[in-house]
Amino acid sequence: MSSTEENLKVVAVEVRDIRFPTSLQSDGSDAMHTDPDYSCAYVTIRLASGLEGNGLTFTNGRGTEIVVQAVKSLSYIVVGKIVTDIYKDFATFWRSVTSEGQIRWIGPEKGVTHLATAAIINALWDLWGKLVKKPVWHLLADLEPEVLLSVIDFRYVTNCVTKAEALQLLKQGQVGKEERIKKLLQTGYPCYTTQAGWLGYPDEKIRELAQKYLDMGYTVFKVKVGKNLQDDIKRCKLLREIIGYDRTLMVDANQVWEVQEAIDWMKELAQFKPLWIEEPTSPDDVLGHAEIARALKPLGIAVATGEMCCNRVLFKQFMQAQALEYCQIDSARIGGINEILSVYLMAKKLGVKVCPHAGGVGLCEMVQHLQMWDFVALSGTSEGRVVEFVDQQHEHFVNPCIIKNAHYTAPSAPGYSTTMKPESIAAYEYPNGSEWQSLFAKGLFQDPKK
């Protein structure tokens, strides 16, 4: 083995349980998740040279320790590998993680093991970006179509998009790419805010935050619904009074309704002209979403879903069944960038708009890269598309996302924007971090060791 190869060997995979006490302020609260503590399983992949890649998967507090254990169980597949060998045949490597002969049984390609996969894969992409000294969106955009295809596992989706069709789509995306990169660098990518819409917020806080984001140039707002119809009517009315009807409003039920209940409830909220209802029912119910979509179409209300969609196969079915109009990929829910790229390709072929979910720890940081790649190298447009932005936990990242005029600014630092500050890790690692020790001492949270 050459000294260069020796330097590129993966010598360690470390994983930490990082949690933030967001439930204290009802940040992130919705009809399903009433007391979330925004958290992540944070992975560091270290090379012999000392270079590190950082990746994460977003979690909601309790249960993060289970994802951490799953990362440890999968890490043997990565340690000892020459990292450039992984990148040369990334699809095969991805399949070796998702189809590990024994661990696969407790997925497969869903739930805890897939969240762990995402954290590992995201760390590998961060490392790739750092190796070639490019932000991940630019790394993706610079890959030749054939090379980009080599990172995607097409198993189970060829009845929607074949490799040959995907190659054509990517080749078409090369036309005008440089002009779009220039435009992206000048203006960024449009975003919307959910920050004024959390279900646990009192009216005064909603009013104050809606006005704040309106003054910052936001024209698209999202509000949480689904617990109490009269409260939802009141909250939508309040937001419309502030933002008017010339701006866009979306609503999000976070999976709490039955199919018919979703239809009936949205007929009551139709007066507020929402662009979409997000996650109206079970995230696995393709036919239920299709039924809701058909019923609400005459009211001008679309269906959006995907943040809890567990893999490319389910996305395929949602799109083929016309069960969603807006596809919401999540950068940590399915198996990292490799699998997400296949969803973008299916969406492109079927004419579905991708509007990513973001907001949890590191999600905004990651997902901006994916949507920017799509704009410059695949769909070629941001028309009718917008990325979620939630103003939470960005201060804990070395290269946080930057918003100007309600647009994500194109990242310039190498990697996937997923490296956390050492002091944040020291403060918020659970349960021994200094902030958690302080919260336990004050009696605000129960110390799990007692």
Side-chain angles (χ1 to χ4, degrees):
M1 189 183 291
S2 70
S3 58
T4 305
E5 279 189 324
E6 192 62 52
N7 274 339
L8 293 169
K9 183 187 278 189
V10 175
V11 293
V13 175
E14 294 163 5
V15 57
R16 292 181 172 89
D17 181 335
I18 310 290
R19 305 188 195 185
F20 299 94
T22 52
S23 60
L24 294 176
Q25 307 294 330
S26 292
D27 295 340
S29 54
D30 60 55
M32 183 68 85
H33 314 93
T34 52
D35 63 340
D37 286 319
Y38 275 17
S39 308
C40 69
Y42 181 73
V43 171
T44 299
I45 294 178
R46 186 175 298 110
L47 300 183
S49 67
L51 189 66
E52 293 179 356
N54 305 111
L56 56 88
T57 198
F58 172 59
T59 49
N60 225 16
R62 289 180 294 278
T64 307
E65 72 280 4
I66 304 171
V67 184
V68 165
Q69 188 54 54
V71 171
K72 289 176 182 176
S73 297
L74 288 166
S75 62
Y76 84 91
I77 303 171
V78 191
V79 174
K81 292 275 192 301
I82 304 300
V83 79
T84 46
D85 289 345
I86 291 174
Y87 302 140
K88 280 174 196 160
D89 192 5
F90 213 163
T92 299
F93 175 82
W94 187 88
R95 190 182 287 193
S96 75
V97 178
T98 58
S99 295
E100 200 279 352
Q102 295 180 8
I103 294 172
R104 183 185 186 276
W105 196 262
I106 58 170
E109 298 186 39
K110 63 176 78 72
V112 169
T113 56
H114 222 41
L115 290 172
T117 296
I120 292 167
I121 295 296
N122 288 337
L124 284 167
W125 279 94
D126 182 61
L127 188 55
W128 194 353
K130 287 170 180 172
L131 276 168
V132 298
K133 298 183 170 54
K134 291 177 184 177
V136 162
W137 71 267
H138 218 307
L139 161 62
L140 286 165
D142 284 350
L143 291 178
E144 290 296 324
E146 291 81 0
V147 178
L148 191 77
L149 279 189
S150 75
V151 313
I152 301 168
D153 186 352
F154 280 86
R155 181 160 65 177
Y156 307 139
V157 297
T158 53
N159 64 325
C160 179
V161 65
T162 64
K163 231 174 175 176
E165 288 171 324
L167 183 60
Q168 281 308 111
L169 293 172
L170 290 167
K171 284 184 171 174
Q172 288 161 16
Q174 297 291 300
V175 180
K177 185 173 78 175
E178 294 310 317
E179 288 77 14
R180 289 192 294 277
I181 289 174
K182 276 183 204 156
K183 186 181 176 189
L184 177 69
L185 293 172
Q186 283 166 358
T187 61
Y189 199 97
C191 61
Y192 71 87
T193 183
T194 310
Q195 197 63 37
W198 300 120
L199 203 67
Y201 282 180
D203 290 357
E204 202 38 59
K205 189 166 184 177
I206 291 171
R207 190 178 281 111
E208 180 192 315
L209 287 169
Q211 192 59 54
K212 173 188 165 183
Y213 284 94
L214 196 59
D215 294 343
M216 287 165 68
Y218 283 82
T219 59
V220 186
F221 294 76
K222 190 168 83 186
V223 62
K224 299 290 184 173
V225 297
K227 215 166 189 186
N228 179 288
L229 178 57
Q230 293 313 310
D231 286 351
D232 289 350
I233 289 171
K234 192 173 144 199
R235 209 175 313 103
C236 289
K237 188 167 184 280
L238 176 62
L239 268 161
R240 276 297 186 201
E241 282 169 3
I242 296 162
I243 71 170
Y245 278 83
D246 54 338
R247 294 178 183 89
T248 303
L249 182 69
M250 293 95 76
V251 296
D252 182 0
N254 289 94
Q255 316 144 44
V256 293
W257 295 324
E258 298 296 314
V259 171
Q260 190 57 48
E261 187 183 15
I263 294 164
D264 295 342
W265 203 297
M266 286 312 299
K267 283 178 178 174
E268 296 293 332
L269 297 183
Q271 58 184 303
F272 302 107
K273 307 281 186 225
L275 173 68
W276 75 50
I277 171 59
E278 183 172 331
E279 289 200 307
T281 190
S282 162
D284 301 333
D285 189 355
V286 177
L287 299 180
H289 277 82
E291 190 177 331
I292 295 165
R294 283 193 301 273
L296 297 183
K297 195 165 190 179
L299 300 173
I301 302 170
V303 167
T305 195
E307 75 180 75
M308 297 287 277
C309 190
C310 55
N311 54 48
R312 66 201 178 285
V313 179
L314 212 47
F315 271 116
K316 174 187 75 170
Q317 292 178 27
F318 270 104
M319 289 192 265
Q320 287 178 328
Q322 298 181 333
L324 57 77
E325 197 171 320
Y326 293 95
C327 171
Q328 295 177 306
I329 52 104
D330 177 287
S331 51
R333 170 62 53 185
I334 67 175
I337 292 178
N338 309 54
E339 186 170 24
I340 290 169
L341 294 174
S342 71
V343 177
Y344 271 103
L345 286 163
M346 290 188 287
K348 169 66 177 171
K349 184 189 169 183
L350 297 176
V352 174
K353 297 181 183 80
V354 179
C355 293
H357 166 249
V361 181
L363 297 186
C364 296
E365 275 67 30
M366 291 186 281
V367 88
Q368 57 180 341
H369 289 269
L370 303 172
Q371 198 73 352
M372 288 174 185
W373 161 76
D374 173 68
F375 169 66
V376 301
L378 182 61
S379 72
T381 181
S382 60
E383 195 66 40
R385 293 160 172 81
V386 67
V387 180
E388 186 169 21
F389 175 70
V390 174
D391 203 358
Q392 302 273 160
Q393 285 77 49
H394 304 297
E395 69 275 16
H396 301 294
F397 289 88
V398 175
N399 296 297
C401 60
I402 297 165
I403 307 290
K404 288 181 184 167
N405 303 319
H407 282 67
Y408 279 89
T409 302
S412 56
Y416 202 19
S417 309
T418 36
T419 301
M420 294 186 95
K421 294 175 179 175
E423 58 269 28
S424 291
I425 293 169
Y428 291 99
E429 185 165 7
Y430 186 86
N432 298 319
S434 56
E435 281 293 327
W436 282 107
Q437 289 300 306
S438 168
L439 290 163
F440 299 149
K442 290 173 186 168
L444 290 168
F445 286 85
Q446 176 70 41
D447 187 339
K449 290 182 287 186
K450 289 181 181 172

